[in-house]
Amino acid sequence: MKLGRYSFLVSLLVSNSNALSGMSDLETNVSTEHAVRDLRGVNLCETLIPDEYILPAKFGRTNHCYKIQVKNRGKFYVNTEDQGCVGYNDGSTYKGSAISSYQDAESGSGQAVYKGVWSGSITLVEDPSLSEAKFEVTGNTKTKIFSGTLTVPLCTNVCESISPSEYILPARFGSTNHCYKIQVQDSGKLFVSTKDAGCVNYNEGKAYRGAAISAYQATEAGGEAIYVGTWSGSISLKQDPSMSEAKFEVSGSGKTKTFTGTLTVPRCDNDSVTESASPSLTPSASPSALPSASPSSIPTLVSSMVPSVIASFEPSLQPVCEGNIT
């Protein structure tokens, strides 16, 4: 199922017997039943990309900071001291404790199963109306069982294919703003116009006059479009429903004639966009693929585990330029 690069909505409620000793079992159980009722009829995710989020969530009356990993060897963390993930969102390192280990995602149920000091499941939900992820959780401090919901704009931000399959967009290569035509289709090519800075002439109605520098080969699993030619490289295909138009970013080496790019579109299959969509005049120096502007931290209920470091899902946004793509 789909998961996106946009802000994610997650529901995750977990109990900490020390920090939450004042919350009754009745309160947690009632909250859990309410969460289950709210999930009826929603779209479920079998997998998530990205597969880690740091988000705030209330457990009873206390707002903790959680790190949720939905991947092999992933863990569920809680930081009971960083209320609402304020410190993390201000740039501080996440310092939660692992309270449970990811086991597997149950097929067809959209539920990620966890076992450890605390055990339970997190239901993975897709809601395209969201701009960022959201997490909610409930639990029982006596049995140390929790039930959570992680809601994201898209199950995945990766596009295995895109429609329309051609875009004309500006992008910076080093300090220069070129105008590119990207074709992700059979017999497609990657073109560049070094004379039409920022696609200004194209946007004013003039014909695109770029030169082909590479030929499209195929799109591999994971949304990597491969190109071979005078310049060779790959373009990551991403979707971000929060965007109103497509964006292209690229970096490369003039010595090796290799490049790496990211094409981010509002939707993988966006029938409302016409081919050769008019690009933004302001190129983006860095691709936007992350689903959440600042993922919330997952709270850690136990201090015995060492939290893992969040992996980076995006390529370097700073282009390495040793020569013009011509």
Side-chain angles (χ1 to χ4, degrees):
M1 298 203 41
K2 296 181 178 179
L3 173 146
R5 114 180 170 76
Y6 312 90
S7 306
F8 292 78
L9 177 63
V10 183
S11 300
L12 180 63
L13 296 176
V14 179
S15 312
N16 184 318
S17 57
N18 294 325
L20 303 176
S21 57
M23 187 172 74
S24 70
D25 297 331
L26 177 60
E27 288 177 306
T28 56
N29 291 335
V30 170
S31 298
T32 303
E33 292 172 1
H34 179 68
V36 171
R37 288 198 300 268
D38 288 344
L39 293 176
R40 294 178 182 177
V42 300
N43 295 326
L44 301 176
C45 299
E46 295 296 327
T47 58
L48 286 182
I49 300 177
D51 53 16
E52 180 178 294
Y53 294 88
I54 297 179
L55 297 164
K58 287 197 174 222
F59 187 86
R61 292 181 290 273
T62 308
N63 196 8
H64 296 320
C65 188
Y66 296 83
K67 180 191 287 186
I68 308 110
Q69 295 176 333
V70 187
K71 58 185 176 183
N72 291 335
R73 298 183 180 179
K75 298 187 183 298
F76 180 42
Y77 299 80
V78 60
N79 185 338
T80 59
E81 297 180 357
D82 185 7
Q83 300 297 306
C85 297
V86 173
Y88 172 77
N89 289 332
D90 285 342
S92 298
T93 302
Y94 181 78
K95 296 182 179 180
S97 300
I99 58 170
S100 198
S101 297
Y102 173 79
Q103 303 298 305
D104 199 0
E106 295 182 351
S107 179
S109 71
Q111 288 191 337
V113 178
Y114 294 80
K115 291 183 180 180
V117 177
W118 281 75
S119 296
S121 64
I122 297 174
T123 303
L124 310 177
V125 177
E126 179 185 69
D127 184 352
S129 70
L130 296 176
S131 60
E132 59 185 22
K134 179 179 177 180
F135 185 53
E136 297 169 313
V137 63
T138 60
N140 186 307
T141 55
K142 289 184 177 180
T143 61
K144 292 197 179 295
I145 294 177
F146 70 87
S147 175
T149 302
L150 173 60
T151 308
V152 298
L154 294 171
C155 296
T156 177
N157 62 355
V158 171
C159 294
E160 298 293 339
S161 63
I162 59 172
S163 177
S165 58
E166 178 180 294
Y167 291 86
I168 297 178
L169 297 164
R172 285 191 180 276
F173 187 84
S175 58
T176 308
N177 193 8
H178 297 320
C179 187
Y180 295 83
K181 179 189 287 186
I182 310 106
Q183 296 176 331
V184 187
Q185 60 193 39
D186 291 342
S187 301
K189 299 183 184 301
L190 174 64
F191 299 80
V192 61
S193 173
T194 58
K195 296 181 180 179
D196 185 8
C199 298
V200 173
N201 293 334
Y202 172 76
N203 285 333
E204 290 178 347
K206 296 180 181 178
Y208 180 79
R209 299 183 181 277
I213 59 171
S214 198
Y216 172 78
Q217 304 298 303
T219 299
E220 298 182 342
E224 293 290 321
I226 307 301
Y227 293 80
V228 175
T230 305
W231 283 74
S232 296
S234 64
I235 298 176
S236 297
L237 308 178
K238 308 283 186 180
Q239 63 175 344
D240 183 350
S242 69
M243 298 173 57
S244 60
E245 57 186 21
K247 177 173 66 174
F248 183 56
E249 293 159 317
V250 64
S251 63
S253 168
K255 289 183 179 180
T256 61
K257 299 286 186 184
T258 57
F259 69 88
T260 300
T262 301
L263 174 60
T264 308
V265 297
R267 288 281 184 180
C268 297
D269 185 1
N270 192 354
D271 294 333
S272 63
V273 178
T274 57
E275 291 192 7
S276 299
S278 296
S280 168
L281 296 180
T282 305
S284 174
S286 56
S288 168
L290 285 193
S292 181
S294 62
S296 303
S297 306
I298 302 176
T300 308
L301 301 184
V302 217
S303 58
S304 59
M305 307 289 289
V306 179
S308 67
V309 178
I310 298 179
S312 172
F313 301 104
E314 299 295 331
S316 172
L317 302 184
Q318 182 62 40
V320 177
C321 178
E322 301 176 25
N324 286 334
I325 294 186
T326 55

